[in-house]
Amino acid sequence: MNSSFLQKFRLYETRSNFYMIGRDKNRTFWKVLKLDRTETTELNFYEDSTSYTEAECFETLRRIHEGNRSSGGLKFVTTCYGIIGFIRFLGPYYMLIITKRRKLGEICGHTVYGVAKSRIITIPHASVLTNVAYSKDEKRYKRLLCTVDLTKDFFFSYSYHIMHTLQRNLSNNAEGLTYYESMFVWNEYLTRRIRNNAKDCMWTVALVYGFFKQVKLSVSEKNFRLTLISRRSRHYAGTRYLKRGVNEKGRVANDVETEQIVFEDAQDGNPVRISSVVQNRGSIPLFWSQETSRLNIKPDIILSAKDPGFEATRLHFENLAKRYGNPIIILNLIKTREKRPRETILRGEFANAIRFINKGLSKEDRLRPLHWDLHKHSRKKGTNVLAILNRLATYALNLTGIFYCQLTSDLRTDEFQNQNPSTLENDNGESSSHDLPSKDETPSNMAAEIGDDSNDAKEDRQKEATMFQKGILRTNCIDCLDRTNVAQYAYGLVAFGRQLHALGFTESTTIDLDNPLAEDLMGIYETMGDTLALQYGGSAAHNKIFCERRGQWRAATQSQEFFRTLQRYYSNAYMDAEKQDAINVFLGYFQPQPDKPALWELGSDQHYNAARFLANATPENSRSTMKRSLSESSIINESSPAALGQVGKHSLTEKDEEAKGLSDSAPVISTSETAKIASSLSAPPPTLEEIGLDHILEDDCFCDAGHGDQCTCATFDMDWVSSSGNSCEDESYGRSTVVRSFEIIPESTQVESEICVVESDPSNRKREELIVEEEEEEEEGISGIPESYVRWVMDEEGHFW
């Protein structure tokens, strides 16, 4: 099959038109796209359906030059590597193009690139531009757009669907090229006009924002590649204090999908064994916020009472189930006790939400929460936090499994994109799980049978040897940056051991923390954590545990953490407002209109979005006329249909009940695997006691509302269990009874910053006093800075360790 995507372009101009000439990688055909330069406020283009040879293309250009000689002829503008999109503010349309790219790595022969240099070009000719194009507001919008640095952390591929997971890409159930509507494609809005009018998407590239890193490693003299990809969601995207919690569509802030891919170096003609595992991080899916403050480095957490039925929370977890299948394991790392209640307020409400949602779900589909106070345990001397997190990760991986298969050469060609490897999206651009094996098809009943050597039996055995990940581990702390990154590394390390074993590189399924491979993986996760923290929080991540693991001098670690805290504070207080405006313009969540207030004249939309839930929820394809609602639900002329279908409060629809596997359809892949690997990976998962979780999580309970069978409020934490030890319901509802909401407090009322918390059991008072004493341990001072100030920043008030 010939490739049908373009990789290199040359842009020419005449007085009346731009001509984009594109060719494929192998120089087998050339295409022409013409853009009209005579219209000042409209985007008109014509795509020539003819495929030219190189000679025919240059002959066409010569004729264009001759026909326009009187007005200056045809002029070369620039070489480029794809169109990022088109945008208009108050005046003309602009075209964003990639003028330089850099190779980041490759997945099964498909190259992944980063944007090295970009350019914005005004489409109308200067002779027809109106005064609006030179107005102060137009220039400011243009400068604002240019603050989105496309050369940092944006990546794309011409032949691989980098916005989707490997498991999904290796499915053969495809329906057209709808991958731009993925939640991880950040230029979806910018490309919408050309995609709606052109016959295909060969002129544009789909940009994913986040992190991409690939390294070559070896074990036992066998070489392999490790790839770590983080994809940030474009829904409810923004900066730390301006985007918190969940919006009315169930989208959460800082929603990041992280995929870890391991594959052996390809040898010509031989199958390639490949494995991947996916995990997720995202803000606590409740309506909560924090006010940016230049006076308070750690502003109050404000919990809204606008969603008593946890509708938005339920929508969020339904979306996760559609994308990844069940089970959904929630690793919640926020604090259990505080001198001044902040995180604990969210912890109690999150436990309530999970318990409430689980009431309407079947036992196998219930959310599985794990509450573990990483901050407290990391401060205890002699506690090996990573070892404990490894056991938690083992428990999660035993439930979800990993993806593993063998690829034949026909799936490792540059025509991968044209195999249409799964565009399994529903009407809202989200993935579905119709065609996966049922949830009962665990690795154990997919193991190869050895007795029958017939061709049909061999083919069946090859298909059965492929393993699928079904379900997801969702990790969060407060910011989903620092503590979350440590936990994600622990999960990645456990998965790494199983991936190497599946590929036949190791005899054991585990990797010791002292193994050099663990150090290599830690370095990559640390870099990923720094990248994501800079994007969302404004500074590199706090890597205290990683530094201690490497034996770094404590004073140096404290200094590093201290100055990162100050950097994050400065960014949040002084830089984030403009950064949020730039994101909203780039994603199309704010579109300037004549005679309407400019973007910089509007206030923050964070609390407004939370307040209007259930009262003024707007359709997905309309924009609110109220003050600056900039979630993805407010895009003008949204082309995608209405959002996620509504499901009853306590039950899933029939379609959801049928779609309980992972969102990727079962790949039809030619595979071959030894019985040894298949049997070792298909063993029944060990129990909590066998992996040692019973020593970490004192109350391993799965109970229902009636405390019959099993309890799904599942606090899983000895410090979050009621002192009575026998009532999960009383604990989750009694821990905190006071929440703050902008909607229920009159503006004239002065509210104290201190939030009251009512203890459900007086006997807990002594326990809390002990914990307070622990939190008041002395920290070493930093030279030149008062020790009391360092302790304020480094301990409780500076960051969320």
Side-chain angles (χ1 to χ4, degrees):
M1 180 185 295
N2 293 327
S3 61
S4 63
F5 51 91
L6 306 175
Q7 288 204 21
K8 193 169 184 180
F9 307 83
R10 291 174 67 87
L11 183 64
Y12 298 86
E13 67 172 346
T14 64
R15 185 183 179 89
S16 58
N17 293 292
F18 275 118
Y19 294 90
M20 181 75 78
I21 311 298
R23 66 167 175 84
D24 69 326
K25 180 180 180 180
N26 299 322
R27 306 175 69 96
T28 58
F29 71 93
W30 277 253
K31 302 283 290 184
V32 179
L33 180 71
K34 181 173 72 173
L35 294 95
D36 185 5
R37 303 189 69 195
T38 62
E39 283 285 346
T40 58
T41 60
E42 296 295 328
L43 180 62
N44 296 323
F45 53 85
Y46 170 74
E47 181 184 18
D48 192 340
S49 59
T50 305
S51 294
Y52 296 95
T53 64
E54 186 171 10
E56 291 171 341
C57 183
F58 280 104
E59 176 61 21
T60 300
L61 293 176
R62 187 190 66 79
R63 291 179 180 179
I64 294 173
H65 175 69
E66 292 296 329
N68 290 272
R69 186 178 292 276
S70 61
S71 59
L74 185 71
K75 300 176 182 178
F76 172 74
V77 179
T78 185
T79 298
C80 62
Y81 296 93
I83 299 174
I84 296 172
F86 301 89
I87 193 170
R88 177 177 179 261
F89 306 119
L90 300 171
Y93 267 95
Y94 302 95
M95 177 171 60
L96 285 73
I97 58 176
I98 299 171
T99 55
K100 190 175 181 180
R101 68 189 181 187
R102 64 181 182 275
K103 182 177 178 179
L104 300 179
E106 61 180 46
I107 300 176
C108 301
H110 307 284
T111 305
V112 178
Y113 297 97
V115 179
K117 192 175 181 180
S118 63
R119 181 175 173 181
I120 181 170
I121 297 175
T122 306
I123 293 180
H125 192 268
S127 62
V128 300
L129 290 177
T130 63
N131 291 335
V132 177
Y134 304 101
S135 67
K136 182 180 178 180
D137 284 354
E138 181 75 9
K139 290 180 179 179
R140 185 167 179 178
Y141 278 120
K142 191 174 178 180
R143 287 196 302 269
L144 190 64
L145 178 68
C146 292
T147 62
V148 179
D149 191 351
L150 296 174
T151 65
K152 288 185 178 179
D153 310 324
F154 283 91
F155 50 92
F156 65 96
S157 177
Y158 300 104
S159 57
Y160 181 78
H161 293 237
I162 194 66
M163 73 291 298
H164 297 316
T165 64
L166 177 72
Q167 178 166 321
R168 182 175 183 188
N169 280 334
L170 291 180
S171 160
N172 71 338
N173 185 356
E175 302 174 359
L177 299 175
T178 62
Y179 47 84
Y180 278 86
E181 296 175 8
S182 164
M183 64 187 292
F184 301 115
V185 176
W186 275 55
N187 60 334
E188 185 276 334
Y189 164 71
L190 298 176
T191 59
R192 190 180 303 163
R193 182 63 65 92
I194 187 171
R195 288 186 291 110
N196 288 343
N197 293 276
K199 296 179 180 179
D200 50 48
C201 303
M202 65 174 62
W203 301 98
T204 59
V205 297
L207 290 182
V208 178
Y209 184 46
F211 176 80
F212 184 97
K213 179 73 172 179
Q214 186 173 93
V215 296
K216 291 185 178 181
L217 300 173
S218 63
V219 58
S220 302
E221 299 183 351
K222 297 177 182 178
N223 298 324
F224 64 91
R225 295 193 188 190
L226 170 65
T227 307
L228 193 63
I229 307 171
S230 285
R231 308 173 179 95
R232 299 184 67 91
S233 171
R234 62 182 169 88
H235 300 311
Y236 205 50
T239 55
R240 184 183 178 208
Y241 285 147
L242 298 178
K243 283 290 181 287
R244 289 294 216 191
V246 69
N247 70 4
E248 67 276 6
K249 298 297 180 182
R251 311 292 191 179
V252 295
N254 200 24
D255 190 345
V256 185
E257 174 186 88
T258 297
E259 181 177 22
Q260 181 174 298
I261 303 175
V262 180
F263 62 92
E264 58 187 345
D265 276 347
Q267 299 180 4
D268 293 340
N270 294 329
V272 171
R273 290 174 293 181
I274 189 167
S275 175
S276 72
V277 67
V278 179
Q279 55 182 316
N280 175 268
R281 70 170 76 182
S283 189
I284 297 174
L286 302 170
F287 285 106
W288 65 281
S289 60
Q290 284 180 284
E291 286 283 2
T292 305
S293 173
R294 296 183 180 181
L295 301 176
N296 184 1
I297 201 169
K298 195 175 181 184
D300 288 338
I301 290 175
I302 302 164
L303 177 63
S304 172
K306 279 296 176 181
D307 189 14
F310 302 111
E311 275 296 295
T313 309
R314 182 184 57 80
L315 284 175
H316 172 67
F317 286 116
E318 284 183 0
N319 180 267
L320 281 181
K322 290 179 181 179
R323 285 158 55 191
Y324 305 110
N326 287 307
I328 297 173
I329 305 150
I330 305 164
L331 180 54
N332 181 25
L333 303 172
I334 61 178
K335 298 177 183 177
T336 57
R337 295 289 188 281
E338 295 171 295
K339 290 178 289 186
R340 178 180 181 180
R342 300 176 70 260
E343 295 187 24
T344 50
I345 295 173
L346 291 179
R347 184 186 182 100
E349 190 72 355
F350 194 21
N352 291 346
I354 294 172
R355 179 179 175 277
F356 185 85
I357 292 169
N358 275 341
K359 285 182 179 179
L361 299 177
S362 61
K363 182 184 295 186
E364 60 270 20
D365 290 340
R366 288 173 184 169
L367 306 175
R368 300 170 185 247
L370 300 167
H371 296 292
W372 191 66
D373 187 343
L374 177 58
H375 174 269
K376 186 193 73 173
H377 289 281
S378 67
R379 293 163 57 87
K380 289 182 178 179
K381 294 182 180 180
T383 301
N384 190 335
V385 171
L386 288 176
I388 296 174
L389 287 172
N390 278 357
R391 282 187 274 177
L392 290 168
T394 300
Y395 167 72
L397 273 167
N398 288 339
L399 295 174
T400 65
I402 65 173
F403 175 68
Y404 167 82
C405 72
Q406 287 193 0
L407 297 179
T408 55
S409 59
D410 62 324
L411 287 177
R412 292 186 283 116
T413 64
D414 285 330
E415 287 78 24
F416 187 96
Q417 179 165 329
N418 299 300
Q419 301 284 342
N420 288 336
S422 181
T423 51
L424 304 179
E425 298 186 350
N426 61 26
D427 291 340
N428 304 299
E430 301 304 331
S431 53
S432 61
S433 53
H434 304 329
D435 302 319
L436 265 191
S438 70
K439 64 189 176 188
D440 297 324
E441 292 183 56
T442 60
S444 60
N445 55 42
M446 294 166 63
E449 297 179 6
I450 305 177
D452 192 342
D453 289 331
S454 66
N455 291 334
D456 291 340
K458 288 181 179 179
E459 183 177 352
D460 292 339
R461 184 165 66 247
Q462 290 170 348
K463 291 180 181 179
E464 290 174 342
T466 299
M467 296 182 297
F468 305 101
Q469 178 179 344
K470 293 184 288 184
I472 194 75
L473 172 66
R474 184 198 192 275
T475 307
N476 72 268
C477 50
I478 284 294
D479 296 323
C480 303
L481 297 178
D482 311 324
R483 289 170 281 184
T484 294
N485 202 62
V486 174
Q488 287 206 323
Y489 160 68
Y491 183 83
L493 181 61
V494 175
F496 194 25
R498 300 190 183 196
Q499 289 176 296
L500 291 179
H501 179 72
L503 268 61
F505 288 172
T506 59
E507 293 293 330
S508 173
T509 58
T510 61
I511 297 177
D512 190 84
L513 286 169
D514 296 323
N515 191 308
L517 288 175
E519 179 68 25
D520 293 333
L521 189 69
M522 180 187 294
I524 300 174
Y525 270 87
E526 186 173 7
T527 304
M528 179 190 74
D530 288 343
T531 301
L532 298 180
L534 280 166
Q535 293 168 7
Y536 183 63
S539 77
H542 294 289
N543 296 313
K544 180 179 178 181
I545 291 179
F546 290 157
C547 293
E548 291 176 349
R549 179 67 194 175
R550 284 193 293 265
Q552 184 172 312
W553 185 33
R554 188 180 182 190
T557 300
Q558 285 184 328
S559 298
Q560 172 182 289
E561 300 295 285
F562 174 76
F563 288 110
R564 286 183 177 180
T565 295
L566 294 184
Q567 181 184 6
R568 189 173 292 185
Y569 159 73
Y570 178 82
S571 178
N572 298 160
Y574 296 95
M575 308 294 292
D576 281 1
E578 182 177 356
K579 186 176 178 181
Q580 183 69 58
D581 287 344
I583 291 172
N584 290 331
V585 168
F586 185 84
L587 295 175
Y589 296 159
F590 178 88
Q591 299 177 31
Q593 300 179 42
D595 303 323
K596 297 292 184 181
L599 179 58
W600 43 87
E601 296 173 355
L602 302 174
S604 169
D605 66 309
Q606 169 73 18
H607 301 117
Y608 173 70
N609 276 343
R612 74 191 181 102
F613 177 67
L614 293 179
N616 294 303
T618 58
E620 195 84 37
N621 62 351
S622 66
R623 178 176 175 82
S624 172
T625 58
M626 302 295 288
K627 182 179 179 182
R628 194 175 176 191
S629 172
L630 301 179
S631 69
E632 84 283 355
S633 62
S634 60
I635 299 179
I636 299 177
N637 298 324
E638 176 67 60
S639 61
S640 61
L644 227 46
Q646 294 295 317
V647 182
K649 282 186 179 180
H650 304 299
S651 63
L652 296 174
T653 63
E654 292 182 6
K655 181 177 179 181
D656 294 323
E657 289 294 334
E658 294 172 358
K660 293 176 180 174
L662 190 62
S663 60
D664 311 332
S665 293
V668 180
I669 306 169
S670 176
T671 61
S672 176
E673 187 178 33
T674 64
K676 178 180 179 181
I677 294 178
S679 60
S680 63
L681 290 172
S682 61
T687 63
L688 290 166
E689 291 77 9
E690 289 173 338
I691 61 177
L693 278 180
D694 57 323
H695 299 294
I696 307 167
L697 309 170
E698 183 180 83
D699 188 11
D700 170 28
C701 64
F702 289 91
C703 73
D704 59 16
H707 297 270
D709 299 333
Q710 292 184 318
C711 175
T712 54
C713 61
T715 56
F716 283 94
D717 194 331
M718 67 184 72
D719 296 315
W720 190 240
V721 178
S722 172
S723 59
S724 62
N726 59 7
S727 176
C728 299
E729 181 174 358
D730 292 342
E731 169 61 24
S732 61
Y733 277 95
R735 186 60 63 183
S736 174
T737 61
V738 178
V739 296
R740 294 175 55 185
S741 169
F742 279 100
E743 289 298 301
I744 61 177
I745 301 176
E747 294 182 1
S748 60
T749 304
Q750 183 176 1
V751 183
E752 295 181 359
S753 59
E754 189 71 38
I755 303 175
C756 297
V757 174
V758 180
E759 289 294 332
S760 60
D761 191 339
S763 64
N764 285 328
R765 215 174 276 278
K766 182 177 180 181
R767 233 173 122 190
E768 179 155 356
E769 290 174 358
L770 295 175
I771 294 174
V772 169
E773 290 177 4
E774 176 191 325
E775 291 179 345
E776 292 176 346
E777 290 180 1
E778 295 291 326
E779 295 280 359
E780 295 182 5
I782 299 176
S783 178
I785 303 173
E787 181 178 348
S788 59
Y789 183 70
V790 173
R791 188 166 61 248
W792 173 71
V793 173
M794 294 299 298
D795 184 20
E796 285 296 314
E797 302 302 326
H799 53 82
F800 291 114
W801 272 109

